[in-house]
Amino acid sequence: GWFLNREESIAECITVSVRVSWNGALYFVTVAAVKNRIEKRIDACVKHLLGACEAIRHIPGDAKGTA
C-alpha cells in the first residue's frame, strides 16, 4: 500500500510514501512536492515508489542487520 499526505502537515505540499521492510528494519520512501506540481502526477509517483521499494527489498543484506 501507500500513503498520501495532502497538505495535512505543510500547506501547499503533498507527500506520497511507501513503506518497505529491508534487512530487518522498516523504512518509508517518500516523494514530496508543491501541490500544483504533483497533484496530477500522484498515480505515476505511486507506481515509481512501489517499483523502487520492490527493488530495495531485493538488495542483499547480512544477518546482523547491516548492509
Side-chain angles (χ1 to χ4, degrees):
W2 54 279
F3 306 90
L4 178 66
N5 181 319
R6 191 181 294 271
E7 298 185 87
E8 286 99 3
S9 300
I10 300 172
E12 298 298 315
C13 183
I14 293 177
T15 63
V16 180
S17 300
V18 174
R19 69 178 166 214
V20 58
S21 180
W22 178 77
N23 206 30
L26 182 63
Y27 298 90
F28 287 85
V29 180
T30 301
V31 171
V34 292
K35 181 179 162 183
N36 64 348
R37 294 193 70 190
I38 195 173
E39 200 158 36
K40 294 180 181 178
R41 298 180 177 125
I42 290 173
D43 290 338
C45 287
V46 169
K47 178 182 174 185
H48 290 294
L49 282 172
L50 290 171
C53 287
E54 186 60 29
I56 290 168
R57 285 186 193 95
H58 291 93
I59 296 172
D62 67 28
K64 294 179 184 176
T66 59

